[in-house]
Amino acid sequence: MRHRRERLRWVTGLLSALALLGPAVTMSPAVAADAQKSTRVADGPVSWSPDLSRVDADDVNVRFVQGALGLRRTDVPATATTAGERGYGSQVLAPRTLDRPVNRVRAELSARTPAGSRVTVEVRGRSADGTWTEWREVEGTTAAALPRTVGAVQARLTLWDGDGDGDGHARVDGLRLTAGRGPEPRATGAAAAVSARVFATREGLVGRTTANGHVIQPDDHFVALPSRRGLSPNGSGQYSVRVCGPARCETAPVWDVGPWNTRDDYWNPSSVRESFKDLPQGRPEAQAAYESGYNGGRDGSGRLVANPAGIDLADGTFANIGLADNGWVTVTYLWTGASTGTSFPTWGTDVRVREQPTTQSREVSRLPGPTRVTVSCQVHGERITVEGITNDGWAYLPDHGGYVSNIFIDVPEAWLPGVPAC
């Protein structure tokens, strides 16, 4: 928007100056055309073709060979909890920073999808504060509408295998994205993040692979939700929940899809909910099916629902919040609300978030990899040294309910700028 205003001021100023010189002086057609073209380019859509050959750690079961993206193996299920032999793979493409604000994204996909196979394109946007919108699927030639105006766009390709052999597998030859600006969406975000009381089950399945490519470990800490809209890339906590059980709360990243459904973003308002729009916000379809016979008592795949689960918990999270058996928990979907504090990037892997600003304090959460966190205040606590850096500053992360050493906040200052003392 800033660039647009500058160009409009330049054109307006030039016209005013020419007018002041008298009626004999006019703007040449070439100058006028160039000015109009410059304004149209700034306001118009922008297109690019992401590099499909870059397969890295946040991609799942895909490889780029002979000029196309395909599955590495054809027997990998879509989620850790999904049975069956249907192949699945996913690639998170590099984000594209744009020179103009956008809220619509269209995709032109060149792919081979034999009978039974399919490829989906999902997109999301990053705001100036570093936060991401949820993923939205681009359907056909219709542009996906993002919930707010953003300055960067990222795409995710997902491949589902067909039933055939040989050439009967999905392959992507190319992708072209076009981002532009349409009518501003009606605000749906809440001042506070959405919370719901839902039934939780233990995922277990150590050694299996989640929908984002994470291999499940003993005493693992993550959750599964029944929609890909809030699925974090592997190693990140970009979409995280705060789940509170009988003993305590824990903040954990969303790394898998389930239980029961895969298109049930029940934390969203009915107007933007992907499926089951006649259900109220905060009520999982599986819960409605189990308790009141909704959809004939079955999930979106036609399975008879055996429990009302709206979230799966990894073993470590399940035990840490105090559950001995499946049960009801309160979940806050942290990305759905406005942040109260200052946003910062972090570095490091498996960074512990502590209840108090000391390494002896109980761990309440982990930052699995570099991400962005909201800091509400900071204190002087235990003085620690990491990779040659010594600091006694600790940042309080309200979304995680604890403190992290300022060493892991990726800014040069030891005492975070603009952040008050607790």
Side-chain angles (χ1 to χ4, degrees):
M1 180 65 76
R2 178 174 60 84
H3 298 293
R4 179 186 175 189
R5 291 196 185 105
E6 288 174 353
R7 275 185 277 269
L8 287 175
R9 282 198 295 268
W10 180 85
V11 174
T12 303
L14 180 57
L15 288 170
S16 300
L18 291 170
L20 289 172
L21 292 175
V25 180
T26 60
M27 179 183 287
S28 73
V31 172
D34 286 345
Q36 291 173 3
K37 180 179 179 182
S38 176
T39 303
R40 285 198 301 271
V41 170
D43 292 342
V46 57
S47 299
W48 70 99
S49 296
D51 182 4
L52 306 184
S53 67
R54 291 179 52 186
V55 176
D56 49 31
D58 60 7
D59 300 326
V60 187
N61 189 40
V62 291
R63 61 178 180 172
F64 188 84
V65 293
Q66 298 180 343
L69 186 75
L71 295 177
R72 183 176 296 277
R73 291 172 49 196
T74 59
D75 59 349
V76 176
T79 73
T81 56
T82 300
E85 297 300 316
R86 193 177 196 189
Y88 163 88
S90 183
Q91 183 183 36
V92 181
L93 298 162
R96 175 82 169 199
T97 300
L98 307 174
D99 63 355
R100 68 207 68 181
V102 300
N103 57 20
R104 298 287 190 278
V105 185
R106 184 167 54 85
E108 298 172 68
L109 180 67
S110 175
R112 286 166 279 178
T113 52
S117 68
R118 62 189 176 101
V119 176
T120 61
V121 182
E122 297 159 292
V123 294
R124 64 176 182 169
R126 186 172 59 202
S127 304
D129 63 1
T131 59
W132 289 99
T133 69
E134 286 186 337
W135 296 99
R136 289 290 185 269
E137 184 174 344
V138 185
E139 300 184 19
T141 59
T142 303
L146 299 177
R148 60 180 180 269
T149 300
V150 299
V153 170
Q154 187 171 39
R156 180 171 66 190
L157 285 168
T158 304
L159 292 72
W160 280 270
D161 194 27
D163 301 324
D165 297 322
D167 293 332
H169 308 300
R171 290 169 63 85
V172 179
D173 300 302
L175 173 67
R176 186 167 181 79
L177 299 172
T178 300
R181 191 166 187 178
E184 294 297 322
R186 187 177 64 180
T188 57
V194 174
S195 293
R197 184 79 171 166
V198 299
F199 193 77
T201 48
R202 185 178 70 85
E203 179 154 343
L205 302 175
V206 172
R208 296 279 293 276
T209 302
T210 66
N212 76 347
H214 171 71
V215 178
I216 301 175
Q217 305 297 313
D219 193 38
D220 219 336
H221 291 258
F222 69 87
V223 306
L225 292 178
S227 169
R228 295 176 56 83
R229 285 184 166 184
L231 179 64
S232 293
N234 193 5
S236 88
Q238 292 168 358
Y239 305 99
S240 294
V241 299
R242 186 161 176 80
V243 54
C244 297
R248 61 185 64 87
C249 300
E250 176 181 311
T251 296
V254 183
W255 280 356
D256 205 5
V257 178
W260 296 112
N261 289 296
T262 60
R263 290 178 175 267
D264 185 22
D265 51 326
Y266 60 82
W267 51 87
N268 278 325
S270 298
S271 60
V272 298
R273 189 167 172 166
E274 186 176 14
S275 303
F276 316 116
K277 292 178 177 291
D278 53 337
L279 291 176
Q281 184 179 15
R283 185 172 176 82
E285 189 276 343
Q287 181 181 339
Y290 183 81
E291 293 179 343
S292 58
Y294 179 86
N295 195 36
R298 299 180 181 276
D299 70 359
S301 299
R303 297 176 298 178
L304 189 65
V305 174
N307 61 54
I311 190 171
D312 262 342
L313 308 179
D315 289 356
T317 302
F318 190 89
N320 186 41
I321 66 171
L323 287 177
D325 196 359
N326 299 337
W328 295 91
V329 296
T330 299
V331 181
T332 303
Y333 310 86
L334 296 173
W335 66 92
T336 62
S339 298
T340 54
T342 305
S343 176
F344 291 96
T346 69
W347 67 276
T349 57
D350 287 331
V351 176
R352 271 72 167 172
V353 181
R354 305 285 184 176
E355 191 172 42
Q356 299 297 327
T358 168
T359 57
Q360 305 306 309
S361 182
R362 183 176 66 86
E363 178 185 326
V364 296
S365 180
R366 289 189 190 187
L367 306 179
T371 186
R372 293 195 74 91
V373 294
T374 298
V375 178
S376 61
C377 62
Q378 57 189 329
V379 299
H380 292 286
E382 180 184 352
R383 188 178 183 86
I384 66 171
T385 300
V386 178
E387 296 191 7
I389 305 171
T390 301
N391 195 354
D392 71 346
W394 290 71
Y396 183 74
L397 313 182
D399 291 342
H400 294 260
Y403 295 85
V404 67
S405 169
N406 282 2
I407 291 173
F408 295 103
I409 305 297
D410 198 7
V411 296
E413 296 87 351
W415 191 249
L416 303 182
V419 177
C422 295

